[in-house]
Amino acid sequence: RQNSEARFYPILMTKEALKFFAYSLQRFKASRKFPDRHDFNKSLHSLTRSNCGDLSLKLLVTFISKGYFPHVSAFNSVISYFCNLGFPGSAQKLINLMPKLGCLPDIVSYNSLIDGYLRNADVGCACFMMRKVCSGLMNVRPDLVTFNAMFNGFCKVGTVEELLVYMSLMWKVCVPNVV
């Protein structure tokens, strides 16, 4: 019984997310009130996790066009969705668009993008993005997740030499958080 409930959980989450957005749009039309950011992000994330990322992008754009300013995590859900589908170029376009929409990408945005490039064996784009992140141009600092994405990608495509270069960079950039 528990296994069958787990199987239907994504369907239930999608249904709840769709109800939330339908209610939110009706509420906005009636009172010009936007949904709570937490609920918005949770519902958007539910859609992307249920392979309804195209719909989540449309809903994100719809709310932005009405003047809503989503939290960066709403964008990160869609960025991750694009990268998991194998479209890091679309994720890159969304990241480039974010500042124009009043939201700066964070390290999670760039980690997803770097991982997405490496999942598609695009080492050049991943390294280019990593250099930009490490240079400080993106106003974020690489973390262990960033380097882990690079290491996993390099191992998958068999470029051990580059892995060693980034490992030495990791020791310079990442400060250990063990006391």
Side-chain angles (χ1 to χ4, degrees), residues 1-9:
R1 176 179 164 101
Q2 186 179 8
N3 198 9
S4 69
E5 287 176 6
R7 190 176 61 203
F8 291 111
Y9 183 73

Side-chain angles (χ1 to χ4, degrees), residues 117-138:
Y117 279 131
L118 288 166
R119 284 180 187 217
N120 285 296
D122 193 342
V123 175
C125 284
C127 289
F128 177 75
M129 189 54 56
M130 181 67 163
R131 282 192 297 275
K132 286 176 75 173
V133 168
C134 288
S135 72
L137 290 173
M138 312 316 282

Side-chain angles (χ1 to χ4, degrees), residues 72-130:
V72 66
S73 62
F75 287 102
N76 286 343
S77 290
V78 178
I79 290 165
S80 178
Y81 174 77
F82 281 142
C83 289
N84 288 334
L85 280 182
F87 301 117
S90 297
Q92 177 73 62
K93 288 177 185 175
L94 184 57
I95 286 175
N96 293 344
L97 184 64
M98 286 172 65
K100 295 173 185 142
L101 300 173
C103 186
L104 294 176
D106 62 7
I107 191 59
V108 175
S109 312
Y110 293 111
N111 287 347
S112 294
L113 182 62
I114 289 167
D115 185 57
Y117 279 131
L118 288 166
R119 284 180 187 217
N120 285 296
D122 193 342
V123 175
C125 284
C127 289
F128 177 75
M129 189 54 56
M130 181 67 163

Side-chain angles (χ1 to χ4, degrees), residues 30-85:
S31 65
R32 301 304 245 187
K33 288 187 179 180
F34 288 114
D36 173 71
R37 276 186 165 186
H38 173 74
D39 293 336
F40 182 89
N41 294 343
K42 182 176 136 189
S43 297
L44 198 72
H45 186 69
S46 292
L47 288 176
T48 58
R49 298 289 292 170
S50 301
N51 290 325
C52 297
D54 295 341
L55 178 59
S56 66
L57 179 62
K58 288 176 185 174
L59 287 165
L60 183 63
V61 169
T62 298
F63 276 90
I64 290 170
S65 70
K66 295 182 182 310
Y68 180 73
F69 292 101
H71 188 266
V72 66
S73 62
F75 287 102
N76 286 343
S77 290
V78 178
I79 290 165
S80 178
Y81 174 77
F82 281 142
C83 289
N84 288 334
L85 280 182

